[in-house]
Amino acid sequence: MDTIVGPGRLFIRRAANVTDISQTEREPQNQMTSLTIAMVGSGGAGVVASGEMLLRAAAGMGLYGILRKTFGPQIRGGESAAIVRLGTEVVANLGSELEVLLVLDWNNFQRFADEIPISEATVLIQDLQAGEHPQNLPEPRQTLTLDFLGLAKSLGSSHSNLALLGYVADWLGCPSDIIDSAIRHRLREHSQETIELAITVALGGAQLQQDKPIPLQPILSAPEKTNSIGKRWIANGNQLIGLGALEAGIRFVAAYPITPASDVLEWMAGEIESVGGHLVQAEDELAAVNMTIGAGFGGIPAMTATSGPGMALMSEAMGLAVASETPLVVVDVMRGGPSTGIPTKSEQSDFNLAVYGLHGDAPHVVLSALSVADCHFTAGWATGIATERQTLVVVLSDQFLGQSSQIMPPLANTNFSASAAQQLEGDTEVDGTQRYFRYLDTDSGISPLALPGQPGGMFTADGLEHNAAAVPSPKAADHEQQLAKRLRKLDSLVESEHWAEHSSEQRGQGSMLLICWGSLYQVALEAQDKLREKGIDIVVMGIRLLSPLPLEEIKQAMQQATQTLVIEQNQLGQFAHYLRSFDRQGQDAALPPFHQYCRPGPTLFTPAEIVTQIQALIPDQTATEGSARQ
Amino acid sequence: MMLPKEYKSGVKPIWCPGCGHFAVLNAITKAFAALEQAPENAVLVSGIGCSSRLPAYINSYGFHGVHGRALPVAAGLKVARPDLNVIAMGGDGDGFSIGGNHFLHACRRNVDIVYVVMDNEVYGMTKGQASPTTPEHWEHSKLTPHGPEVRPFQPCAIALASGASFIARGYSGDPNGLAHMLFEAVQHQGFAFIQVLSQCPTFCPEQVGWKKTVHLEDTCTDDPVQAAAFLHGDDGLAKGIFYRRPRPTWPVQHQSTEPVNLRKGFEL
Ligand SMILES: Cc1ncc(C[n+]2csc(CCOP(=O)(O)OP(=O)(O)O)c2C)c(N)n1
Ligand code: SF4
Ligand SMILES: [Mg+2]
């Protein structure tokens, strides 16, 4: 056998401290090693289940990791893959490299070949029955062909995926009791017989690894076992949106199924009754959002979750929430668009819809979740804002955050809570009749709010323009007053410390500034570490509050930086255009010029890709780097 | 005890003189008085149209939403706040055209609310276009100069087929009869649908003739087959409570589970 050299050590920033992202420890960076394993099979072959079991086993070993599941468009059958990246510190993105690729079936592999970064550094392990190896793939470092299916069959099973699981877990040094319990957990609803057979097959796979090892050193040394390992979590962003929302007080959900948002709803459906709430599967998104508004009007904090096509249908009623000043949280787990687009893959292309998609002047709040763990925080914050400011809050997550499972330290409570906003004052006598001034023009813009059931507060909430007493009015003065009030009540939000996460307190002094939002933040943080190895310092800003945009803060950071690059995962550079729209030349608000790098999904951004973009903007340093290598 | 007129909010209706919706407003105040309805515990929810303006004219809570979506707002409110008396309302365009899908599912879901459709067989607010209940050969809209040339929608028959548990038809020319129906509908447990023939003298002056053609039918049954036979033979001008058959309302109350630790499932 060739002498095998392990892949280079990766230096990864401690990905946002998931215990409390707002208090992320930024310095010093911890060095960690990570490696990425992909398992590919036809749908139904169980590679995704194997990925889940592998992640759980790794967690049991004290490792961190993230699991991305990827499916073809078929509901059952077709192709599927599980990509598991493991590390000794929190792993919050998929990285750029692939160390080990295990293939049970090459059929349809081409459909997602571009999501699986095979390179000369990859060791390929394929099943004897995998079929023809596709042409035009990069030549792997080494290829092993093994009979996983034959092994499973010899043990009385057809589940070669379990042999694969045992094989790769053994390579990682995973003790058999940990594989055992990972399998038991995943198959807990199956018969004892099925479970025992699964374990036997996995142990067979582990033995195979002893006989025919993966020709590569697994560079992860599992940390010492501590009690805290057992307290760690495995969760995906969709579940954490649900958790953050319920913990902050959401007690009503109405929604219509759509990939990749359905599992927000499925998780919440299982939990919401236990906290005294309700979830309604509506007949469509129009009903879903309006039911949610009805509940919000009744004083019950309410949300809906959907994806781009569903939010497009909701947009009229989202404007109703703004005009009637009814608290409403809409979560958009973005997928590829336009139209039905690519339902199972990630993209950041609903920015425009979220920010501009409402008719009329309809100021509202748009937030983005900055990591899988941050889905929890952002959902909680959204609930707090919606109820406190009596308005619409849109939360942008995406398929990557929503459907990737991650090992993380337990999350702290966000301490956001739906404010009991009902206050009755506003009751005044006008022209001898008692009136309740539901839409009173206050300094803060936030008006008194009575809830049905409270005597003395009766009013009719209205999407029609109205006056302060909630009586419909087309008068210019009322329109101006109410428009101004609805805009003003969001003003102070930009002062919130939660508006963004920064990779450094310096916020850009003297180095380059990288601005991003949503799931790209974690990728950008890793790019920053890679650049530091090359002697290039950058500062990363991940914007959580997309609208209203804290423009002054952003402007300051841009002014302090040598230059600024904005990155996002959509074709049109939607956020970059938005940012430019504030650049009123010659006025106070003028922003320094900035670069933009945008491209659509479905392939994920990688740290290496961002590094390349940044190096291209810093020609001098790249040259030095290059010559230093020679 | 409040008098019917005390249930008026004092906001002046925008309706044309002779509009049938006035009678519906009066009927609601009479029914509320008879029900001794606490104004703060009633919520009127509507969509968009002349008819949908009604909530602002009643001294109770109200929600005037967007076109066609009164039913989902009302259902969400009732599920979240079962303590309230929730009445959804609107026009034939609002309820049967743009909001038609919600009508089917509201009947089917059987949330305990009342739904009043003020059916004038026309889009009053947008100045006289054909609605789903407009007669096939009504040629008075510029938008459909040959008439809609489509068979009119049958609200009561569709409500029955979709699972509504209380179905009635009232008439704006008989506000007392309508008040009685509303009284019964509020007391009914489940989704109660009332189609009100509510004249629009402005765009359909011929509806003034309804006072001669509308007839009372005392056919109330709990048998869906009988109700279907009646409704399919009906000329659309019968008034009365046609069908009443209580069935379990939604949401179903489940045994409340133990308070759980929401975080437990995430731990290794
Ligand atoms: C989304 C949307 N489409 C169209 C309209 C215009 N519109 C307002 S009311 C209405 C029809 C109302 O007819 P109906 O519900 O029968 O009520 P009526 O005025 O006859 O009482 C229409 C089409 C609107 N407001 N919103
Ligand atoms: S247009 Fe018709 S429905 Fe509208 S207010 Fe006038 S009479 Fe009533
Ligand atoms: Mg009408």
Side-chain angles (χ1 to χ4, degrees):
Chain A
M1 198 194 295
D2 304 346
T3 331
I4 303 299
V5 187
R9 288 171 73 81
L10 295 176
F11 295 84
I12 297 184
R13 156 169 304 283
R14 204 177 165 69
N17 175 349
V18 284
T19 309
D20 181 350
I21 195 161
S22 61
Q23 292 164 16
T24 305
E25 236 180 77
R26 313 221 168 263
E27 309 291 341
Q29 296 101 53
N30 293 8
Q31 291 187 354
M32 90 155 191
T33 48
S34 84
L35 59 82
T36 307
I37 299 158
M39 294 185 270
V40 176
S42 56
V47 289
V48 168
S50 291
E52 287 170 353
M53 293 185 265
L54 182 63
L55 189 74
R56 184 161 287 271
M61 292 169 70
L63 293 170
Y64 287 99
I66 193 165
L67 161 67
R68 173 164 174 76
K69 306 166 193 176
T70 142
F71 303 95
Q74 297 88 339
I75 307 309
R76 294 221 185 268
E79 66 285 359
S80 60
I83 307 172
V84 183
R85 185 178 187 210
L86 301 174
T88 50
E89 295 284 323
V90 171
V91 180
N93 79 87
L94 270 194
S96 318
E97 288 92 21
L98 180 64
E99 276 76 33
V100 181
L101 171 63
L102 301 117
V103 178
L104 286 179
D105 189 347
W106 284 112
N107 205 12
N108 292 329
F109 178 83
Q110 293 293 25
R111 291 223 208 176
F112 50 39
D114 35 352
E115 291 176 60
I116 296 180
I118 305 176
S119 70
E120 310 76 53
T122 308
V123 171
L124 168 63
I125 296 165
Q126 57 181 354
D127 189 82
L128 192 58
Q129 315 284 326
E132 202 159 327
H133 181 296
Q135 313 279 300
N136 67 13
L137 283 185
E139 190 59 35
R141 169 202 288 250
Q142 204 168 341
T143 303
L144 269 186
T145 304
L146 299 171
D147 190 9
F148 292 106
L149 188 58
L151 170 66
K153 282 191 171 154
S154 73
L155 295 167
S157 163
S158 57
H159 294 299
S160 51
N161 66 314
L162 293 164
L164 205 67
L165 169 72
Y167 183 82
V168 65
D170 185 73
W171 173 64
L172 289 169
C174 182
S176 58
D177 61 315
I178 289 183
I179 306 178
D180 190 292
S181 69
I183 293 174
R184 283 182 198 282
H185 182 271
R186 178 63 175 71
L187 301 180
R188 62 194 178 280
E189 275 157 23
H190 292 251
S191 71
Q192 201 53 37
E193 210 180 328
T194 308
I195 294 174
E196 297 307 333
L197 182 57
I199 292 169
T200 306
V201 177
L203 293 180
Q207 187 54 50
L208 181 63
Q209 209 282 139
Q210 294 292 322
D211 302 341
K212 302 206 169 124
I214 298 183
L216 195 69
Q217 282 297 323
I219 44 147
L220 299 173
S221 47
E224 297 243 326
K225 273 219 153 207
T226 63
N227 286 341
S228 71
I229 291 175
K231 298 212 170 65
R232 282 185 194 156
W233 288 14
I234 295 182
N236 66 37
N238 279 346
Q239 297 166 327
L240 292 176
I241 290 262
L243 180 71
L246 290 187
E247 286 187 341
I250 292 287
R251 291 295 178 268
F252 181 91
V253 179
Y256 189 76
I258 186 168
T259 305
S262 298
D263 24 39
V264 174
L265 309 166
E266 286 167 4
W267 185 85
M268 293 187 91
E271 308 291 339
I272 196 166
E273 285 179 7
S274 74
V275 294
H278 282 287
L279 183 141
V280 182
Q281 180 180 331
E283 55 269 33
D284 55 29
E285 284 86 353
L286 306 165
V289 66
N290 281 284
M291 286 177 174
T292 309
I293 290 171
F297 170 74
I300 305 300
M303 71 168 249
T304 183
T306 185
S307 191
M311 193 161 74
L313 288 182
M314 291 181 184
S315 68
E316 184 195 19
M318 286 161 64
L320 169 64
V322 172
S324 66
E325 304 199 43
T326 308
L328 170 65
V329 176
V330 176
V331 175
D332 174 3
V333 186
M334 294 180 289
R335 61 195 215 174
S339 189
T340 307
I342 313 179
T344 54
K345 311 271 156 132
S346 209
E347 202 168 72
Q348 293 185 307
S349 47
D350 292 346
F351 177 89
N352 280 351
L353 179 62
V355 171
Y356 299 115
L358 312 189
H359 63 283
D361 292 314
H364 61 283
V365 181
V366 182
L367 306 181
S368 84
L370 298 174
S371 68
V372 172
D374 192 51
C375 286
H376 176 247
F377 181 90
T378 300
W381 194 29
T383 307
I385 296 171
T387 50
E388 179 196 348
R389 306 204 183 223
Q390 306 171 15
T391 195
L392 162 70
V393 181
V394 178
V395 175
L396 292 178
S397 173
D398 62 30
Q399 188 273 337
F400 174 74
L401 296 179
Q403 297 194 317
S404 299
S405 298
Q406 193 186 310
I407 303 166
M408 59 186 73
L411 300 181
N413 245 307
T414 61
N415 292 326
F416 291 115
S417 74
S419 67
Q422 64 264 40
Q423 349 155 7
L424 267 174
E425 66 231 51
D427 196 8
T428 318
E429 235 183 67
V430 175
D431 305 333
T433 47
Q434 201 80 1
R435 278 225 171 282
Y436 180 69
F437 282 81
R438 162 64 183 105
Y439 299 114
L440 190 69
D441 188 19
T442 61
D443 288 345
S444 67
I446 301 172
S447 304
L449 169 60
L451 300 180
Q454 291 182 318
M458 272 99 71
F459 71 97
T460 293
D462 216 315
L464 272 180
E465 191 56 286
H466 41 257
N467 63 20
V471 178
S473 163
K475 285 188 200 150
D478 289 328
H479 190 42
E480 271 169 34
Q481 176 198 63
Q482 293 294 312
L483 281 176
K485 181 182 104 64
R486 295 192 291 256
L487 182 62
R488 185 164 72 244
K489 70 181 179 179
L490 306 185
D491 278 354
S492 64
L493 253 187
V494 299
E495 289 153 25
S496 165
E497 54 174 339
H498 305 313
W499 75 273
E501 294 294 322
H502 311 268
S503 64
S504 131
E505 287 312 315
Q506 271 69 53
R507 304 204 177 174
Q509 201 89 51
S511 45
M512 180 165 168
L513 175 65
L514 179 60
I515 297 183
C516 57
W517 57 278
S519 60
L520 261 52
Y521 182 57
Q522 297 303 323
V523 190
L525 288 180
E526 187 167 332
Q528 179 194 31
D529 288 333
K530 286 178 168 290
L531 284 161
R532 184 166 291 133
E533 280 178 60
K534 298 172 191 280
I536 301 172
D537 256 333
I538 65 162
V539 171
V540 183
M541 175 191 286
I543 301 183
R544 192 186 280 116
L545 179 60
L546 295 171
S547 179
L549 193 67
L551 195 62
E552 278 311 308
E553 296 268 2
I554 294 173
K555 187 171 128 187
Q556 254 180 36
M558 288 172 76
Q559 282 167 343
Q560 284 170 10
T562 51
Q563 51 181 334
T564 300
L565 173 65
V566 172
I567 57 169
E568 60 194 309
Q569 194 189 16
N570 59 56
Q571 178 196 33
L572 299 175
Q574 298 180 13
F575 175 79
H577 272 284
Y578 172 67
L579 190 56
R580 251 181 220 115
S581 72
F582 296 103
D583 180 18
R584 291 176 220 101
Q585 284 299 322
Q587 294 184 25
D588 285 354
L591 293 172
F594 58 88
H595 305 279
Q596 82 186 57
Y597 173 65
C598 54
R599 63 152 181 86
T603 43
L604 299 176
F605 266 56
T606 65
E609 179 181 9
I610 297 172
V611 166
T612 306
Q613 291 304 320
I614 288 177
Q615 283 185 307
L617 294 174
I618 309 179
D620 289 346
Q621 302 208 25
T622 323
T624 332
E625 248 272 313
S627 53
R629 246 199 230 127
Q630 281 162 9
Chain B
M1 268 286 283
M2 284 168 67
L3 298 171
K5 66 170 195 239
E6 291 175 298
Y7 286 97
K8 295 224 172 132
S9 70
V11 175
K12 193 169 166 286
I14 56 153
W15 298 321
C16 311
C19 176
H21 304 341
F22 281 108
V24 180
L25 174 63
N26 289 333
I28 292 174
T29 62
K30 283 181 187 158
F32 275 6
L35 288 159
E36 299 187 23
Q37 176 67 53
E40 66 271 18
N41 290 336
V43 186
L44 308 191
V45 180
S46 64
I48 294 292
C50 299
S51 37
S52 290
R53 291 290 193 125
L54 197 148
Y57 309 146
I58 294 270
N59 179 23
S60 72
Y61 281 89
F63 194 98
H64 184 205
V66 291
H67 195 27
R69 318 293 165 211
L71 280 173
V73 171
L77 176 61
K78 182 70 184 184
V79 171
R81 290 286 309 274
D83 56 309
L84 300 171
N85 175 12
V86 179
I87 302 180
M89 57 187 56
D92 43 316
D94 193 75
F96 306 143
S97 193
I98 191 167
N101 193 33
H102 307 312
F103 179 53
L104 303 183
H105 292 279
C107 292
R108 186 171 82 88
R109 202 176 273 123
N110 204 33
V111 173
D112 184 19
I113 58 176
V114 175
Y115 183 38
V116 180
V117 174
M118 293 163 243
D119 186 355
N120 50 17
E121 303 178 352
V122 75
Y123 287 3
M125 177 140 275
T126 45
K127 301 205 189 307
Q129 298 84 5
S131 89
T133 49
T134 301
E136 201 168 342
H137 301 296
W138 187 79
E139 294 173 358
H140 302 286
S141 167
K142 281 190 214 153
L143 194 56
T144 50
H146 309 293
E149 300 182 298
V150 183
R151 214 186 92 106
F153 187 85
Q154 305 291 312
C156 291
I158 287 164
L160 180 70
S162 311
S165 52
F166 178 108
I167 300 168
R169 187 184 294 130
Y171 170 44
S172 59
D174 175 16
N176 288 334
L178 181 57
H180 169 73
M181 274 175 203
L182 280 161
F183 182 89
E184 295 293 319
V186 169
Q187 311 244 321
H188 173 79
Q189 299 251 316
F191 184 75
F193 169 58
I194 306 178
Q195 176 193 11
V196 184
L197 301 173
S198 180
Q199 66 183 26
C200 172
T202 303
F203 295 109
C204 307
E206 65 278 12
Q207 291 170 351
V208 175
W210 277 346
K211 62 174 172 283
K212 297 211 181 80
T213 50
V214 169
H215 49 101
L216 179 68
E217 294 292 337
D218 209 0
T219 60
C220 188
T221 171
D222 64 359
D223 175 3
V225 177
Q226 251 184 46
F230 171 77
L231 289 171
H232 284 284
D234 166 39
D235 63 358
L237 296 170
K239 66 175 179 181
I241 298 174
F242 303 139
Y243 180 69
R244 178 159 24 183
R245 187 186 176 109
R247 63 183 179 91
T249 59
W250 201 91
V252 177
Q253 293 306 323
H254 296 283
Q255 206 74 45
S256 66
T257 39
E258 296 280 291
V260 294
N261 176 358
L262 296 172
R263 306 173 143 234
K264 195 84 200 143
F266 298 120
E267 288 168 10
L268 282 184

